[in-house]
Amino acid sequence: MTAAAEGPAIALDVMGGDRAPAATVEGAVRWAKATDRRAILVGDVDVMRGLLSSGGEDPSSWRLESGPTTIGMDQHPVQAVRSTRDASIRRCAELVRSGEAQALVSMGNTGATMAAGVLVVGRAAGVDRPGLAVLIPGREAPTLLIDVGANAEARPEHLRDFGLMGAVYLRQVLGTPNPRAAVLSIGEEATKGSPLTFAAAELLVASPLNFVGNVEPSGLFNNSVDLAVCDGFTGNLVLKSFEATAEFAVGELRTAIRRRPYTLPGVAFMYPAFRAVRRRTDYAQYGGTPLLGVDGVVIIGHGRSNAMAVENALHAAARAVESRLVERVSDGLTSISQ
């Protein structure tokens, strides 16, 4: 591999994720080979050196930062980030805050990553509440849902801001020219919803967004909108319901096939179709989801991420930095408040 090409500095939380550190290091190496760039690897230095060497890499050509401690799922995210100074995710956030990195990527504890983003990296100018966005697979293209967990409670102006931040992300990173924005609600009719959704809709109508009204959860899959906003409590329930339903359906299909082995020849013929569906709905294809509204790019991946997901999360982080996502989000929100 030649000398690393110029590009955004990205801090990778090597210790975060169910398959870390092997999958995170492998993903970083894959990204380096694809882009000729190297992420800053943060974790147990001896472990990272060993994994790089076993993968045919020269550890001396990588920047390795010490952050050997992992914040567990049973720990309180905010308290852990504040008290565990050698945690890998905190060290990543400190690199962004100091300007040594422009982005961080983590497959670890989502709550801890959000806490590190808000407490250590800090909010971007003009942002009151950062929002966590996720791409929901659709028939033709994914739909961005925001917020899915950063704010259990939110005010109408926060939902408007989520829409503005999400639209910037769709335009600048995913190339959606004029995203159609909607409020996630219990019906498409303007008369259905809660006081929060009614008030948010009024603000969105008056905003520069391409606001198209309400959308039901089913509309997230049929590409009737490009962007849907909600409070983090609702969004997290919707996201987990989708994941649980998908896992249940796949599990029931496998059970039915085992109970009826005579169906196996038909399943073999349908395997290409099953594989195509899995490819479109695989979280690894998207890599990670952005925490929008912090003063640096923060990409949060799935805890079960493999090397491909880590590589794609690094690609997403680089695109976000190169498109000046943070500055554009701040500019959009500042213009609304004036």
Side-chain angles (χ1 to χ4, degrees):
M1 189 182 297
T2 60
E6 292 294 329
I10 302 173
L12 175 62
D13 175 12
V14 170
M15 310 308 290
D18 298 344
R19 303 181 185 185
T24 43
V25 170
E26 182 185 348
V29 170
R30 288 175 54 146
W31 184 70
K33 291 179 177 178
T35 65
D36 205 19
R37 302 173 182 174
R38 294 182 181 87
I40 302 171
L41 305 186
V42 183
D44 186 310
V45 173
D46 290 336
V47 170
M48 294 189 294
R49 283 179 180 148
L51 289 169
L52 288 169
S53 296
S54 63
E57 290 289 309
D58 177 9
S60 65
S61 65
W62 291 75
R63 178 175 173 181
L64 308 180
E65 291 287 336
S66 179
T69 303
T70 303
I71 294 178
M73 297 302 294
D74 59 338
Q75 295 178 264
H76 189 281
V78 173
Q79 294 176 359
V81 167
R82 284 175 170 162
S83 63
T84 314
R85 294 188 174 275
D86 65 346
S88 53
I89 184 57
R90 175 173 173 138
R91 288 291 299 122
C92 287
E94 288 173 345
L95 289 169
V96 176
R97 183 181 63 186
S98 69
E100 296 176 74
Q102 290 77 54
L104 73 83
V105 171
S106 178
M107 309 293 155
N109 186 317
T110 298
T113 306
M114 289 191 295
V118 175
L119 298 175
V120 181
V121 176
R123 293 180 178 86
V127 175
D128 183 28
R129 296 278 188 92
L132 183 61
V134 67
L135 288 167
I136 305 296
R139 290 195 178 97
E140 299 176 5
T143 299
L144 191 72
L145 178 63
I146 179 173
D147 177 31
V148 294
N151 306 277
E153 296 180 356
R155 298 194 298 269
E157 57 268 30
H158 296 147
L159 267 62
R160 176 203 60 198
D161 292 352
F162 296 158
L164 291 165
M165 293 189 292
V168 170
Y169 183 77
L170 284 170
R171 285 196 302 267
Q172 300 300 323
V173 179
L174 301 183
T176 307
N178 188 27
R180 297 161 298 167
V183 174
L184 186 65
S185 189
I186 58 173
E188 295 180 357
E189 300 86 352
T191 55
K192 292 185 177 180
S194 67
L196 174 64
T197 61
F198 293 148
E202 291 182 2
L203 293 177
L204 286 162
V205 167
S207 78
L209 288 172
N210 179 17
F211 181 63
V212 297
N214 289 351
V215 65
E216 297 180 9
S218 60
L220 302 178
F221 296 101
N222 63 21
N223 299 118
S224 58
V225 299
D226 303 299
L227 165 66
V229 300
C230 60
D231 62 90
F233 184 84
T234 300
N236 197 265
L237 282 176
V238 168
L239 180 62
K240 289 180 176 177
S241 296
F242 287 167
E243 291 178 342
T245 301
E247 290 178 2
F248 173 77
V250 171
E252 287 297 291
L253 179 60
R254 288 173 177 166
T255 299
I257 291 172
R258 285 197 298 268
R259 290 176 177 173
R260 300 171 179 82
Y262 55 83
T263 64
L264 285 174
V267 172
F269 281 113
M270 294 183 66
Y271 180 73
F274 289 145
R275 185 172 56 185
V277 171
R278 181 176 181 180
R279 187 182 305 115
R280 289 178 57 199
T281 58
D282 187 2
Y283 62 84
Q285 299 292 331
Y286 303 109
T289 59
L291 178 62
L292 299 175
V294 290
D295 198 19
V297 173
V298 175
I299 300 294
I300 304 175
H302 201 290
R304 297 196 297 268
S305 291
N306 56 20
M308 181 177 72
V310 174
E311 177 190 0
N312 286 334
L314 289 166
H315 281 301
R319 287 194 301 269
V321 173
E322 291 163 351
S323 66
R324 297 176 53 242
L325 175 66
V326 173
E327 296 91 332
R328 293 179 187 276
V329 164
S330 292
D331 291 344
L333 293 182
T334 300
S335 66
I336 287 294
S337 62
Q338 291 176 346

